Amino acid sequence: MAEDTQVPSAQNPEKFRRLKLSAHKTAAAGIPAVLISGRHVFSEMNIARGLKALAALNQKDGYDCPGCAWPDPDDERSGIAEYCENGAKAIAEEATTKKLDAKFFAANSVADLAELDDYDIGKKGRVAEPMYLPVGATRYQPISWDDAFKKIATHLNSLASPDEAIFYTSGRTSNEAAYLYQLFVREYGTNNLPDCSNMCHESSGVALTETLGIGKGSTTLDDIHMAEVLIIMGQNPGTNHPRMLTALQKAKANGATIISINPLKETGLLGFNNPQTVKGVLNIDNKLTDIFMNVKINGDMALIKAIELLLLAEEEKAPGTVFDNDFIKENTSGYTEFITDLKKQNAAELAAIAGIPMEQVQAAADALKHKTKIIACWAMGLTQHKNAVDTIKEVVNLLLLKGSIGKPGAGTCPVRGHSNVQGDRTMGIFEKPAKKLLDTLQHVYGFEPPRKNGYDVVESIHAMHEGKAKVFFAMGGNFLSATPDTVYTAEALRKCDLTVHVSTKLNRSHLVHGAEALILPCFGRSDKDETGGQVQFVTCENSMGVVQMSKGNLKPISQHLLSEPTIICKLAQATLANRSKVNWALYQEHYDYIRNDIEMVIPGFTNFNQQVRFPGGFYLPNGAREGKYDTESKKANFTVTEVTTIPLAHDELLMMTIRSHDQFNTTIYGLDDRYRGVLNERRVILMNEHDIKKLGFKAGDVVDLFNYSDGVERKARKFIIVAYDIPEQCAATYFPETNVLVPVKSTADKSNTPTSKSVVIKVKTHQPA
C-alpha cells in the first residue's frame, strides 16, 4: 500500500487546524486583496525593503514577477501597482529577511523539519549558505562552494554513463541560466532535461505543434482586449493568473462576451473588483462571465463537439454565414474528414456527457455563431487528462471553423503557470531536442551533443526508482511536491547516490533526499546581481512570447548566494574541466556574453542584447500569429478526435487536484482559500451534496481517500468533507496533499503529463493509524 504516512506529507495528517467556512465570493480582488498583500509583504521584511521591492515589480526597468507568466502591458504600466495579490505574496516569500544558516540546520534535524507541513517549512526563510548532508547524517552542515562543486563533479564523472544523471528545471529559471544549463548538460553528454512543462502545458505544446506548427499560444495582450468572444476553459484566473482579470475586464468593456467552462464556479471567473479604479473599490459593475458552464471533470471535449454540431447545423441552413469557408479552404487541411466524423455525433448525447443542459450549449453556440474574433484560453483543467492533447486539438478545431487564428482579436491562449517556463523551453530545456538545435550547438561550440532523447519527468521518476539514474540535480522547484505518486517518487529520490537542489528557500524536496544531498542557495528575481563586479540583468519570456529584462533591486540577504548562471558555469568548469570546448569563464564576466551566444543558437533572438534593452522587450516570431503554419502540410490541421469517458462505479468519484487561493504551485503562502470560503485548513475534499448523502456521509465528516489504479492501494488520510457546488461524481482536493493518489503510470497520451485532474478515488470513513 502506498500511503502518505510513509513520506512526510504536505500537511501533517495527525492534526487539523480549525476549519472555518464562509460564503463563496462573487468577485475577486478589491480592497481585501490590497490589505492582504500588504500584510504578507510587511510581515516578511521592513517597510522600506517592502516598498522598494513592490515598486520595481513588473516594471520595465524592474524585475519580472517570480509567479505566473501573464504578460505585462506593452505600453504604459501602472504607476500604482503592476502586480496582483499573489505576486505580492510571491515577493514576500522570496524577499523575506528571514534566513537559514548553519546554526539553523545544526539545531534542526532533517527528520524534525520533515514533520512540519509545507506552509511551515516555507515560512522558515531563505537558505543563506551552501549546505551538505553526508551519507548517514541527520543534519545538513555547511560546505564551501568549491567543495560543493567538486563533490557534484566527482559523482557525475564517476557514473557509468551521463544518462545516469537527471537535470530538472523549474519555470523560475531565467533564459540565461536555462541556456547555460542545457549547454552544460549536453556537453556533459545527456538529454535528461525534464522540466515543469512536462507536468503542466506539455499537452498544449504537443497539440498546438501538431495542429498549428508552434507549441505556444498565438495571441497577444492586445488581442485579448479586441476579442469578440473569450472562451476560458479549465482555468481559475482569479487565483492562478490574477492580472488576467484586468485584461478580461477591458475586453468586457469593449463588448466581448465571456464564456467560462469549469467544474467549479470560481470567483475570478464571475467578477473582478479592480482596486485601482473607483468602481472596483465600490464593488460596482464587476461582472465578467456571461455564460458559465459547470462542466463535469474531463467533459470539455464533448462540450466543444456539441457546440460545433450546433454551429454546423446553422452553417448548413445558411452556407458561408457561420464558418469561415475562405479561411478553411486556403489555410487548413483535414476539414472534410473532420466534418464527416462530426456528423456522426449527437449533440444531446455529447451535452449529457459534459453535464451541460442543451439550452446552455445553444446559448454558447449562439454567442459564437456570427463572431470571428474568438480566443480560447485554457490551463491545467484541460492539460492534465489522458485525452488532454485531443481535447486541445478539439479547441483548435473550433477556432479553425471560425477562422479565428492569425488575425487580431483571435487565437489560442494557453496560460502558462510559471513566469519563465515557456522561455526555458525556448532556450532548449527539453528532453526531446530538435535536430536543428543539436546541429547548431555542434556548429557553434564544436562538441557532438547527444542525439538520443532523454527522460521527461515521469520517465525520470521511473529511472531513479529502477536504479537507472543515480544523480538528481534540480535547478529550482520542489520536485517531490510537484510530481505524482508521492510515495513512489520519494522512494525514487531516496535511491539516488546524490540529490542536489538549487534553491532560494527550504522545501520538502530537501528533506526527502539521496544518500548524499546538497542545497545550493541562489539569488531570487528581486535580488540585485553584481556578478563580475557589474549590475547584471536576466531575461524572461511570458505566455505571449514577449522577452524582456528582469533586474533585481534588493540587497541579497547573504553574501554566500550565487546567481544561477554562475552556479552552472562553476559546475561546468568543475565537471568538464579541460575537456570542455565552452568558455565558461567568459559568461561569468558579463551576461551579455551569454546573450551573444543565445543569438547564435536560438531562432528569433537577432540583436538580442540590443532588443532586450528596449523598454518592454520584444516579441518572438510566431507563425500561427502570422498565418504561417510550420506543419507537414504547411497548413493548420483539423483533427478527428474521439470522445472518451472514465467509467466510475457507484461509490467512486473523479477527483481533480487544485490550488487554493493562498498558494502558487507548491508554495503555500497561507491557509485561507478565501474565494471558495475554505479557511484555515487544507486537508479538505470538495464534494457535491448529493454524493455526500449517497455515500452515507455528511458535511464535516473526516474521511480517508483511496486510489486503486494498477493494483496499488494509494491512501491519503484524514480529510474533511466540504459540501460544494461541483458536478455529481466529481471532487476537488488541494495539491500537493493528494498527489499521493495520482498514479505515476496514468499519463496523457502523447505528452506523458500526469493526469492530476482525472483521479478515480473512493471515499471511506477515516480509520486512525
Side-chain angles (χ1 to χ4, degrees):
M1 179 178 70
E3 185 177 348
D4 64 356
T5 55
Q6 296 178 21
V7 60
S9 66
Q11 182 89 3
N12 186 340
E14 298 310 316
K15 64 178 182 179
F16 284 125
R17 300 175 190 268
R18 186 165 295 180
L19 172 65
K20 300 176 184 177
L21 299 177
S22 66
H24 187 285
K25 301 294 186 292
T26 58
I31 294 301
V34 176
L35 298 176
I36 290 168
S37 298
R39 187 182 74 202
H40 276 264
V41 171
F42 300 120
S43 68
E44 296 290 342
M45 65 199 80
N46 62 41
I47 292 177
R49 183 177 173 89
L51 292 175
K52 186 176 183 179
L54 293 174
L57 182 56
N58 292 324
Q59 297 296 339
K60 291 181 179 179
D61 59 346
Y63 60 93
D64 202 41
C65 179
C68 81
W70 189 253
D72 305 308
D74 289 337
D75 46 20
E76 290 301 314
R77 300 186 185 176
S78 172
I80 301 173
E82 192 55 66
Y83 54 86
C84 65
E85 174 190 341
N86 275 3
K89 290 175 180 176
I91 292 307
E93 290 285 311
E94 179 185 281
T96 180
T97 52
K98 301 172 186 174
K99 56 184 179 180
L100 313 181
D101 55 16
K103 290 181 181 179
F104 171 85
F105 287 99
N108 293 275
S109 71
V110 171
D112 288 342
L113 291 170
E115 288 299 311
L116 301 175
D117 61 33
D118 281 21
Y119 170 69
D120 286 330
I121 291 172
K123 288 300 180 184
K124 292 298 181 185
R126 289 280 295 269
V127 181
E129 58 184 303
M131 301 303 300
Y132 169 57
L133 187 69
V135 175
T138 60
R139 286 170 168 79
Y140 278 94
Q141 59 191 44
I143 186 173
S144 71
W145 277 105
D146 285 345
D147 285 346
F149 292 130
K150 288 176 184 176
K151 187 165 290 293
I152 300 168
T154 298
H155 274 276
L156 291 176
N157 289 326
S158 298
L159 296 176
S161 164
D163 290 331
E164 291 184 343
I166 290 168
F167 298 90
Y168 174 74
T169 313
S170 159
R172 189 204 68 219
T173 307
S174 69
N175 287 329
E176 288 74 11
Y179 178 80
L180 294 182
Y181 194 44
Q182 65 84 30
L183 181 63
F184 159 62
V185 171
R186 292 192 166 108
E187 189 176 23
Y188 170 66
T190 185
N191 284 313
N192 288 345
L193 282 160
D195 73 328
C196 54
S197 280
N198 297 151
M199 294 181 284
C200 57
H201 271 289
E202 198 68 62
S203 298
S204 300
V206 172
L208 294 175
T209 298
E210 293 184 1
T211 55
L212 302 177
I214 184 171
K216 304 178 182 182
S218 66
T219 55
T220 67
L221 194 55
D222 284 342
D223 288 327
I224 300 285
H225 301 155
M226 291 186 285
E228 296 173 312
V229 181
L230 285 153
I231 307 173
I232 305 171
M233 305 181 69
Q235 185 189 1
N236 177 14
T239 289
N240 300 333
H241 314 93
R243 288 196 300 153
M244 181 178 177
L245 301 182
T246 303
L248 296 180
Q249 194 168 67
K250 187 170 183 178
K252 183 83 173 173
N254 291 338
T257 296
I258 298 178
I259 301 172
S260 294
I261 302 169
N262 203 59
L264 297 177
K265 193 174 286 187
E266 303 288 15
T267 297
L269 297 172
L270 303 179
F272 171 51
N273 286 322
N274 187 338
Q276 298 190 40
T277 67
V278 173
K279 285 185 177 181
V281 172
L282 299 177
N283 192 25
I284 297 172
D285 192 24
N286 58 22
K287 181 182 176 183
L288 290 178
T289 292
D290 297 284
I291 301 171
F292 181 83
M293 309 177 85
N294 203 188
V295 70
K296 289 183 178 180
I297 293 174
N298 199 31
D300 306 272
M301 182 196 291
L303 176 56
I304 293 298
K305 280 183 178 287
I307 293 171
E308 290 167 342
L309 271 170
L310 296 184
L311 292 174
L312 175 60
E314 294 298 316
E315 170 66 16
E316 289 179 334
K317 290 178 188 175
T321 63
V322 178
F323 291 174
D324 189 335
N325 292 317
D326 289 340
F327 175 86
I328 291 169
K329 182 178 180 180
E330 295 172 10
N331 295 286
T332 73
S333 174
Y335 173 74
T336 301
E337 294 83 355
F338 166 72
I339 291 295
T340 299
D341 181 77
L342 185 62
K343 288 180 176 180
K344 297 175 184 177
Q345 313 300 318
N346 179 284
E349 291 176 0
L350 292 167
I353 291 171
I356 301 298
M358 274 301 297
E359 56 266 28
Q360 276 198 318
V361 182
Q362 186 65 61
D366 290 343
L368 293 166
K369 183 165 57 177
H370 297 305
K371 300 293 191 290
T372 61
K373 294 181 178 180
I374 302 166
I375 291 175
C377 307
W378 68 88
M380 306 300 98
L382 258 61
T383 66
Q384 293 179 330
H385 301 279
K386 182 171 175 54
N387 62 351
V389 171
D390 276 355
T391 297
I392 295 164
K393 287 182 176 181
E394 199 62 55
V395 173
V396 173
N397 287 339
L398 175 61
L399 295 175
L400 294 180
L401 288 174
K402 300 297 295 177
S404 295
I405 298 284
K407 65 172 63 172
T412 56
C413 184
V415 184
R416 303 282 178 170
H418 213 157
S419 60
N420 199 45
V421 62
Q422 185 162 298
D424 291 345
R425 183 57 59 87
T426 300
M427 291 296 108
I429 300 293
F430 192 28
E431 74 279 357
K432 301 179 183 67
K435 180 178 181 298
K436 184 177 180 181
L437 171 64
L438 300 180
D439 289 346
T440 304
L441 289 173
Q442 183 176 8
H443 173 74
V444 171
Y445 295 104
F447 68 84
E448 174 60 52
R451 299 286 168 164
K452 182 179 70 172
N453 285 347
Y455 298 134
D456 63 18
V457 163
V458 169
E459 292 164 344
S460 294
I461 295 169
H462 288 311
M464 289 186 286
H465 205 278
E466 295 165 10
K468 296 177 182 177
K470 299 176 181 178
V471 173
F472 176 81
F473 190 105
M475 184 59 63
N478 183 355
F479 187 81
L480 176 67
S481 293
T483 46
D485 227 333
T486 311
V487 173
Y488 183 87
T489 300
E491 291 171 351
L493 289 166
R494 285 171 172 153
K495 290 182 178 182
C496 290
D497 294 335
L498 175 69
T499 50
V500 184
H501 294 271
V502 178
S503 303
T504 55
K505 300 191 74 177
L506 190 68
N507 66 53
R508 190 161 301 282
S509 294
H510 305 144
L511 310 176
V512 178
H513 51 79
E516 294 178 85
L518 284 160
I519 307 173
L520 306 181
C522 66
F523 292 148
R525 290 274 177 81
S526 57
D527 288 324
K528 190 174 185 179
D529 181 352
E530 296 183 283
T531 299
Q534 303 178 66
V535 176
Q536 304 285 351
F537 69 84
V538 293
T539 62
C540 300
E541 178 186 346
N542 64 36
S543 259
M544 295 179 179
V546 176
V547 178
Q548 62 183 353
M549 70 166 61
S550 177
K551 184 167 60 177
N553 69 339
L554 300 181
K555 181 180 179 180
I557 55 99
S558 168
Q559 62 181 351
H560 300 298
L561 309 183
L562 292 179
S563 72
E564 288 179 322
T566 300
I567 290 171
I568 296 163
C569 289
K570 289 183 177 295
L571 176 59
Q573 289 172 310
T575 304
L576 303 176
N578 294 331
R579 69 180 187 270
S580 178
K581 297 187 177 182
V582 177
N583 189 347
W584 300 103
L586 183 65
Y587 297 143
Q588 297 172 67
E589 293 180 14
H590 201 286
Y591 297 168
D592 277 357
Y593 294 118
I594 307 172
R595 288 184 282 270
N596 286 340
D597 281 14
I598 291 173
E599 179 179 336
M600 290 191 289
V601 174
I602 307 298
F605 285 82
T606 303
N607 298 321
F608 188 10
N609 272 310
Q610 291 73 37
Q611 286 200 84
V612 81
R613 284 176 164 84
F614 181 82
F618 63 96
Y619 280 90
L620 291 174
N622 187 300
R625 183 181 298 157
E626 300 156 10
K628 302 172 184 176
Y629 308 103
D630 189 18
T631 62
E632 288 187 15
S633 66
K634 298 303 177 186
K635 292 187 175 184
N637 294 319
F638 280 96
T639 308
V640 174
T641 64
E642 179 183 358
V643 173
T644 58
T645 58
I646 299 172
L648 296 173
H650 75 281
D651 60 344
E652 291 180 330
L653 303 176
L654 192 60
M655 183 194 80
M656 62 179 184
T657 63
I658 59 175
R659 297 182 194 171
S660 85
H661 187 65
D662 247 357
Q663 77 179 95
F664 179 75
N665 292 343
T666 59
T667 302
I668 313 300
Y669 299 138
L671 299 168
D672 291 345
D673 194 0
R674 76 175 193 280
Y675 290 165
R676 297 189 184 109
V678 180
L679 310 177
N680 204 45
E681 181 56 66
R682 292 181 53 83
R683 293 189 81 86
V684 298
I685 177 169
L686 309 184
M687 293 173 59
N688 181 282
E689 284 186 302
H690 176 79
D691 291 326
I692 296 172
K693 184 176 180 180
K694 182 183 74 172
L695 295 176
F697 299 112
K698 62 182 182 299
D701 282 351
V702 179
V703 295
D704 296 334
L705 312 179
F706 295 82
N707 170 270
Y708 294 99
S709 297
D710 307 315
V712 177
E713 181 184 272
R714 298 172 180 84
K715 181 178 180 181
R717 299 177 58 246
K718 209 170 182 183
F719 284 73
I720 302 173
I721 293 177
V722 173
Y724 208 81
D725 184 8
I726 187 170
E728 289 185 27
Q729 280 202 290
C730 297
T733 57
Y734 300 129
F735 75 86
E737 284 83 353
T738 52
N739 284 359
V740 68
L741 299 173
V742 182
V744 71
K745 293 182 180 179
S746 179
T747 60
D749 296 335
K750 290 192 173 184
S751 70
N752 210 31
T753 296
T755 57
S756 300
K757 296 288 191 288
S758 289
V759 184
V760 178
I761 65 167
K762 291 190 177 186
V763 181
K764 302 181 182 181
T765 300
H766 171 63
Q767 299 296 326

